[in-house]
Amino acid sequence: MEETRRFRIGYALAPKKQQSFIQPTLVNLARERGIDLVPIDTACPLSEQGPFDCVLHKVYGEDWKAELENYAAQNPSLAIIDQPSAIQRLHNRISMLQVVSELRIRREKETFGIPSQIVIYDAKALADCRAFGALRFPIIAKPLVADGSAKSHKMSLVYHRDWLLNLKPPLVLQEFVNHGGVIFKVYVVGDYVKCVKRKSLPDVPLEKLDGIEGSLSFSQVSNMTQNRMQEDYYQSLHLEAEMPPQSMLTDIARGLRQALKLNLFNFDVIRDSNAANRYFVIDINYFPGYAKMPSYETVLTDFFWNVVNKRTDNDDVDSISGGKEMEKKG
């Protein structure tokens, strides 16, 4: 009796990401489907650790990129999730959201887009009123670079222009849109799209803006500290908030996947409190915390199975590139 072929997916992840993502439940479920998840030591050549049918990674740096390109050139059938050049676009908060503005998706009832925003490259511009154009306060100030580091997560909700002088460019200044204290996190895994609700920054009454001083610092819009808000109130908002139309989220996810050429990402959506059918995409993240997504083990295992089996049949999964493409780019 012919033995069923097993597939090897090597994963290169930072320790914190590996700890949260590579759970025993995921490893065991993948093993039952004939897929072995194998850790990659980025300090050693991939050629000494393979063979791999697929490399799953969230590691940055030129050395790793060169190692991955070299291994892909030697293994043309290798699946790579995802290409470093595609991931790089999400490291810049201007270029990441520009993709949303370029999507051509027709909706009859809903509209979506991005909040008004500008980029500030030097401290002198922060003191120049003309640099802000028609941007209205309050605004959210975010580091331009979004590389997953602790520094890139340090944001501020700024109520008045004078407080911007305390910040260090380069920054993206984005108009804050009141959205009922609820954010929708949309997880994308290939063709799979799942939306979950999370608490967010509270609304800012514009009529009381003059009486608010300073700024509010935070690390993530959907991860506010408990002492900043009344938990019971925001829990009720979280439960009562109506989900955005799944068809709209699926259309956006499909458009982003094709434009970005990525398979593992999530995007954050808010609903304008002043217009129930108007939505804004405010952030896109590569390879997010999938362990927070319901049934993530099943979803990811199905995705892995499709990747390795379709490539065996010489039928590439959309936007998943292999050694041949990297060899052309090189």
Side-chain angles (χ1 to χ4, degrees), residues 210-221:
D210 290 339
I212 303 176
E213 296 184 2
S215 62
L216 171 66
S217 298
F218 58 95
S219 60
Q220 293 181 14
V221 172

Side-chain angles (χ1 to χ4, degrees), residues 215-269:
S215 62
L216 171 66
S217 298
F218 58 95
S219 60
Q220 293 181 14
V221 172
S222 60
N223 190 30
M224 294 294 294
T225 54
Q226 301 296 329
N227 60 355
R228 289 285 187 182
M229 53 179 57
Q230 298 176 1
E231 179 64 18
D232 292 342
Y233 173 65
Y234 281 94
Q235 186 174 6
S236 67
L237 284 178
H238 171 76
L239 294 174
E240 295 172 3
E242 180 183 355
M243 284 288 198
Q246 181 64 33
S247 59
M248 180 189 72
L249 298 179
T250 300
D251 287 345
I252 296 174
R254 184 182 296 114
L256 290 176
R257 186 185 177 207
Q258 292 174 351
L260 294 170
K261 300 187 184 302
L262 295 172
N263 290 276
L264 302 179
F265 62 94
N266 76 349
F267 56 98
D268 294 341
V269 176

Side-chain angles (χ1 to χ4, degrees), residues 10-12 59 77 87 92 108 122 138 146 153 158 163 205 228 233 256 267 293:
Y11 60 86
V59 176
S77 63
I87 298 171
N92 181 298
E108 294 184 3
D122 58 70
H153 284 302
V158 183
W163 283 83
R228 289 285 187 182
Y233 173 65
L256 290 176
F267 56 98
M293 183 181 75

Side-chain angles (χ1 to χ4, degrees), residues 23-266:
Q23 296 291 322
T25 48
L26 174 64
V27 174
N28 293 335
L29 186 58
R31 183 183 297 122
E32 292 173 2
R33 296 286 295 275
I35 300 170
D36 296 319
L37 297 178
V38 183
I40 289 174
D41 183 353
T42 56
C44 298
L46 285 171
S47 58
E48 298 178 4
Q49 304 176 70
F52 297 116
D53 297 284
C54 173
V55 171
L56 172 74
H57 71 108
K58 190 177 182 180
V59 176
Y60 307 127
E62 291 303 315
D63 290 344
W64 166 251
K65 182 180 177 181
E67 177 62 30
L68 189 59
E69 289 179 348
N70 182 58
Y71 186 74
Q74 299 171 13
N75 298 272
S77 63
L78 177 73
I80 299 172
I81 309 172
D82 279 303
Q83 289 292 341
S85 58
I87 298 171
Q88 185 67 32
R89 186 166 187 175
L90 296 189
H91 288 178
N92 181 298
R93 285 196 165 94
I94 290 293
S95 65
M96 77 160 64
L97 291 187
Q98 181 182 356
V99 180
V100 179
S101 301
E102 295 170 353
L103 295 180
R104 296 294 177 260
I105 299 173
R106 298 184 62 181
R107 302 289 305 179
E108 294 184 3
K109 296 182 179 180
E110 305 87 19
T111 63
F112 73 91
I114 63 174
S116 298
Q117 60 181 22
I118 60 172
V119 59
I120 299 292
Y121 290 103
D122 58 70
K124 291 182 180 179
L126 288 176
D128 187 353
C129 295
R130 295 170 298 179
F132 300 97
L135 211 61
R136 296 174 297 180
F137 285 79
I139 63 173
I140 292 184
K142 308 177 180 180
L144 177 62
V145 176
D147 58 3
S149 64
K151 182 180 179 181
S152 70
H153 284 302
K154 290 184 177 180
M155 308 180 199
S156 297
L157 177 60
V158 183
Y159 302 107
H160 304 288
R161 187 177 66 84
D162 291 345
W163 283 83
L164 288 174
L165 300 177
N166 298 322
L167 304 177
K168 294 183 179 180
L171 294 166
V172 172
L173 304 182
Q174 187 181 86
E175 275 192 11
F176 177 74
V177 177
N178 282 334
H179 53 280
V182 177
I183 191 169
F184 303 97
K185 302 191 77 68
V186 186
Y187 293 92
V188 181
V189 182
D191 291 327
Y192 181 86
V193 180
K194 177 67 176 180
C195 179
V196 299
K197 291 181 283 189
R198 295 286 184 266
K199 64 185 178 182
S200 179
L201 292 167
D203 285 353
V204 179
L206 298 184
E207 65 274 12
K208 298 182 180 180
L209 189 59
D210 290 339
I212 303 176
E213 296 184 2
S215 62
L216 171 66
S217 298
F218 58 95
S219 60
Q220 293 181 14
V221 172
S222 60
N223 190 30
M224 294 294 294
T225 54
Q226 301 296 329
N227 60 355
R228 289 285 187 182
M229 53 179 57
Q230 298 176 1
E231 179 64 18
D232 292 342
Y233 173 65
Y234 281 94
Q235 186 174 6
S236 67
L237 284 178
H238 171 76
L239 294 174
E240 295 172 3
E242 180 183 355
M243 284 288 198
Q246 181 64 33
S247 59
M248 180 189 72
L249 298 179
T250 300
D251 287 345
I252 296 174
R254 184 182 296 114
L256 290 176
R257 186 185 177 207
Q258 292 174 351
L260 294 170
K261 300 187 184 302
L262 295 172
N263 290 276
L264 302 179
F265 62 94
N266 76 349

